[in-house]
């Protein structure tokens, strides 16, 4: 079976959206976010990351999503 | 030569007349072509359309090759196979499922269920063989990834078929039809590319909003948990003295489980009928509608081939259990790509609405079944 021969033009492809992981500290309850890491999942207990506020090392992943750009008024 | 040409163009040497004559001859030649060969214009249009189709087909091929590369690399990285998995991945990308014969519709749903379950098991076993070091959850996500590859491969083959057939038969109407739908096909293919990235990294997708609501409902309140059907779990919680049975697929691997069979098995085991069965799922929005919009209604909110929906409807009808449903609107692209903020935020709102519905419709001491429908990739059980 023949393959098409003309190569496509230089139109840029869509960027893959990068999600953020939202962690809630189990000591002080403060929520913070960081870029998604492989093996992250919602409701996972993370033991090796320090809370930026209280320094607690146990936190729970409460959300993972791609933040939407806020429209400027 | 140059002197002669200049003389021809010079009005003082009579060139004006010769030029006019030449131009008239050219126009006459064109006229004769269109007169003697009426489909000439259509031929030109066909060749233009085929060139456009060829460009878009190449774009599809690039996306397909990229997804293939992501799949091979992820299986190598996660599964650490001893031999190159590429030939087996190619074989799996051509895997097919033959729909049951529907001339005699009696028992069709169960025939379809049997074929789909067989296909799913075989596919999962094949992927597990390719990735011997992958965990159970990772095998499920890798299976999803290979399914994405199978999907894009089918799209590419079908488009190529119409392109080549149109070219061979010079059938402008065949080419026109595929050219008209290609922009949407390219958009879907682009979504597949993003979906492949999400599945390779284990990121929650828009379709996972149902299990996400279920996970948030159970979070920290689970009393008991047990597997009720393949890849499907029941988590029992208590909400202001009401017993809530939450049914969902087992995460964080990518699977939709068997919610129909799960709800059926659960309700048949319960000493009394639950007061309600509530299903929560993602639904396709119409163009112009807002992503993350919530709608509520009655019935069973489950997409797919219909087996799960049928089972819950049958059960509810035979036992007289009311069916309530919540859907969260999103596009096809948003459903299979990493979850957007508006969908994640909608999950919190649906959670409140589900709680409110339970407190309104279910009396203290009674029970209710809540089923979170969708792909659980990146959504754990807690």
């Amino acid at each position: 079976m023949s393959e098409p021969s003309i190569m496509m033009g230089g139109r840029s492809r869509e960027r893959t959206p990068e999600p953020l992981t939202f962690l809630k500290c189990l000591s002080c309850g403060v929520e913070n976010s960081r870029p998604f890491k492989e093996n992250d999942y919602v409701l996972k207990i993370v033991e090796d990351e320090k809370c930026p506020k209280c320094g607690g090392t146990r936190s729970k992943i409460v959300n993972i999503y791609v933040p939407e750009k806020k429209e400027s008024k | 030569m140059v002197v002669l040409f200049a003389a021809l163009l010079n009005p003082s040497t009579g060139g004006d007349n010769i030029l006019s004559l030449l131009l008239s001859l050219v126009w006459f030649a064109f006229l004769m072509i269109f007169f003697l060969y009426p489909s000439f214009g259509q031929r030109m249009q066909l060749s233009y359309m085929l060139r456009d189709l060829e460009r878009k087909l190449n774009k599809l091929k690039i996306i397909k090759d990229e997804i293939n590369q992501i799949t091979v690399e992820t299986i190598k990285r996660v599964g650490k196979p001893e031999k190159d998995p590429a030939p087996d991945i190619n074989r799996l990308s051509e895997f097919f499922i033959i729909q049951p014969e529907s001339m005699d519709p009696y028992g069709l749903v169960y025939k379809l269920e049997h074929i789909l379950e067989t296909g799913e098991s075989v596919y999962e076993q094949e992927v597990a063989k390719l990735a011997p070091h992958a965990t159970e959850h990772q095998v499920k996500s890798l299976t999803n990834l290979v399914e994405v590859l199978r999907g894009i491969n089918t799209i590419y083959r079908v488009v190529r078929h119409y392109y080549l057939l149109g070219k061979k038969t010079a059938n402008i109407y065949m080419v026109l039809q595929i050219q008209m739908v290609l922009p949407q096909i390219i958009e879907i293919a682009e979504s597949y590319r993003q979906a492949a990235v999400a599945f390779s990294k284990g990121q929650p997708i828009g379709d996972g909003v149902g299990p996400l609501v279920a996970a948030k409902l159970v979070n920290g309140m689970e009393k008991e948990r047990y597997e009720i059907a393949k890849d499907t779990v029941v988590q029992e919680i208590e909400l202001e003295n009401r017993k809530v049975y939450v049914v969902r697929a087992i995460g964080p691997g990518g699977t939709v489980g068997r919610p129909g069979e799960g709800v059926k098995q659960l309700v048949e085991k319960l000493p009394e009928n639950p007061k309600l069965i509530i299903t929560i799922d993602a639904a396709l929005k119409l163009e112009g509608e807002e992503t993350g919009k919530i709608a509520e209604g009655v019935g069973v909110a489950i997409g797919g081939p219909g087996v799960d929906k049928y089972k819950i409807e049958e059960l509810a009808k035979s036992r007289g259990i009311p069916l309530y449903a919540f859907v969260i609107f999103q596009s096809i692209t948003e459903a299979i790509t990493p979850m957007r903020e508006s969908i994640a935020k909608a999950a919190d709102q649906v959670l409140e609405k589900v709680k409110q519905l339970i407190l309104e419709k279910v009396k203290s001491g009674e029970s209710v079944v809540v089923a979170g429908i969708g792909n659980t990739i990146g959504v754990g059980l807690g």
Side-chain angles (χ1 to χ4, degrees):
Chain A
M1 190 65 75
S2 70
E3 294 286 326
S5 54
I6 298 173
M7 289 308 291
M8 63 178 281
R11 270 187 66 190
S12 62
R13 65 176 193 199
E14 254 180 72
R15 208 172 57 83
T16 309
E18 287 298 329
L20 292 179
T21 297
F22 294 80
L23 299 114
K24 190 172 185 179
C25 175
L26 292 176
S27 308
C28 65
V30 163
E31 208 175 294
N32 61 84
S33 66
R34 58 158 170 77
F36 176 86
K37 284 186 200 165
E38 220 168 309
N39 297 324
D40 278 357
Y41 60 85
V42 177
L43 298 191
K44 182 186 181 183
I45 303 284
V46 181
E47 307 265 5
D48 54 354
E49 285 178 46
K50 274 192 173 179
C51 168
K53 196 184 174 200
C54 72
T57 51
R58 287 192 88 225
S59 48
K60 189 184 244 184
I61 297 177
V62 289
N63 252 328
I64 298 170
Y65 59 76
V66 179
E68 269 145 22
K69 283 172 192 159
K70 301 277 181 282
E71 278 176 32
S72 54
K73 286 177 185 175
Chain B
M1 185 70 183
V2 176
V3 176
L4 181 67
F5 191 69
L8 283 172
L9 293 176
N10 190 349
S12 63
T13 55
D16 190 21
N17 293 336
I18 294 169
L19 185 66
S20 301
L21 184 71
L22 280 173
L23 283 172
S24 302
L25 278 172
V26 170
W27 279 115
F28 183 70
F30 265 107
L31 200 70
M32 288 312 286
I33 288 170
F34 279 98
F35 184 70
L36 297 171
Y37 187 23
S39 60
F40 180 70
Q42 202 181 58
R43 277 271 177 190
M44 280 177 67
Q45 199 181 359
L46 178 68
S47 94
Y48 168 78
M49 283 158 66
L50 281 170
R51 269 204 306 278
D52 183 47
L53 210 60
E54 204 165 280
R55 263 199 312 275
K56 286 176 177 151
L57 188 59
N58 261 302
K59 190 168 182 176
L60 270 182
K61 189 172 186 301
I62 288 168
I63 294 173
K64 178 180 84 87
D65 290 346
E66 195 182 334
I67 293 175
N68 188 59
Q69 195 187 342
I70 292 171
T71 310
V72 172
E73 279 172 6
T74 310
I75 288 184
K76 278 183 183 172
R77 178 169 49 83
V78 177
K80 298 180 180 61
E82 284 169 8
K83 59 170 191 166
D84 182 20
D88 287 316
I89 290 170
N90 279 338
R91 180 174 56 84
L92 284 178
S93 73
E94 305 272 335
F95 188 83
F96 59 84
I97 290 172
I98 302 170
Q99 298 286 314
E101 182 49 58
S102 59
M103 267 196 298
D104 175 11
Y106 179 75
L108 189 62
V109 174
Y110 293 97
K111 281 189 220 166
L112 179 64
E113 182 187 29
H114 173 65
I115 290 171
L116 291 175
E117 281 180 6
T118 311
E120 199 183 300
S121 304
V122 169
Y123 217 63
E124 219 172 280
Q125 284 163 16
E126 289 288 326
V127 174
K129 271 197 276 179
L130 289 180
H133 288 90
T135 62
E136 203 184 328
H137 290 310
Q138 284 171 329
V139 167
K140 292 193 190 306
S141 301
L142 290 176
T143 307
N144 283 178
L145 184 56
V146 181
E147 275 170 5
V148 171
L149 177 64
R150 183 158 65 112
I152 189 76
N153 190 39
T154 306
I155 291 174
Y156 174 72
R157 283 168 53 220
V158 170
V159 173
R160 187 182 60 181
H161 166 77
Y162 283 107
Y163 162 74
L164 290 172
L165 200 63
K167 196 174 178 180
K168 194 163 86 178
T169 58
N171 186 339
I172 194 167
Y173 302 104
M174 189 180 287
V175 176
L176 184 69
Q177 285 183 62
I178 192 76
Q179 197 203 19
M180 282 195 300
V181 292
L182 255 182
Q184 285 101 303
I185 293 177
I186 295 283
E187 200 182 321
I188 292 171
E190 185 58 41
S191 315
Y192 274 43
R193 191 183 66 76
Q194 293 183 18
V197 175
F199 284 120
S200 71
K201 293 179 178 172
Q203 296 166 345
I205 57 171
D207 184 50
V209 68
L212 183 65
V213 175
K216 289 185 176 207
L217 180 62
V218 170
N219 188 15
M221 298 206 295
E222 186 185 79
K223 294 218 178 285
E224 211 179 325
R225 179 197 299 178
Y226 43 90
E227 196 167 336
I228 194 88
K230 189 179 180 287
D231 299 336
T232 312
V233 75
V234 176
Q235 292 172 289
E236 292 183 16
I237 60 165
E238 228 170 78
L239 190 74
E240 297 189 24
N241 208 30
R242 289 142 177 97
K243 190 123 187 164
V244 184
Y245 298 92
V246 181
V247 180
R248 54 162 290 193
I250 299 173
T255 177
V256 291
R258 306 222 167 119
E261 185 61 24
V263 171
K264 189 177 168 219
Q265 293 285 339
L266 172 70
V267 174
E268 283 171 356
K269 277 181 190 163
L270 293 178
E272 274 181 38
N273 281 342
K275 199 75 184 158
L276 299 175
I277 296 175
I278 304 169
T279 45
I280 306 151
D281 196 8
L284 273 186
K285 69 170 188 174
L286 298 172
E287 228 22 83
E289 277 185 323
E290 206 181 316
T291 298
K293 192 178 95 175
I294 301 161
E296 54 186 281
V298 291
V300 182
I302 302 183
V307 174
D308 295 288
K309 191 167 176 262
Y310 174 83
K311 283 189 171 181
I312 298 179
E313 283 168 353
E314 273 277 304
L315 174 88
K317 191 203 116 208
S318 65
R319 290 174 178 249
I321 308 167
L323 295 164
Y324 281 80
F326 288 93
V327 293
I328 297 102
F329 287 108
Q330 49 198 277
S331 70
I332 178 73
T333 303
E334 286 158 344
I336 60 170
T337 53
M339 190 178 283
R340 308 294 207 270
E341 185 177 355
S342 50
I343 300 171
K345 294 273 163 73
D348 295 325
Q349 292 172 36
V350 173
L351 177 65
E352 291 312 312
K353 283 175 184 276
V354 169
K355 282 181 182 172
Q356 201 182 335
L357 182 71
I358 293 171
L359 297 177
E360 271 175 23
K361 304 272 180 191
V362 184
K363 290 183 194 133
S364 177
E366 291 179 333
S367 66
V368 57
V369 174
V370 178
I373 312 298
N375 193 310
T376 53
I377 191 157
V379 184
L381 290 168

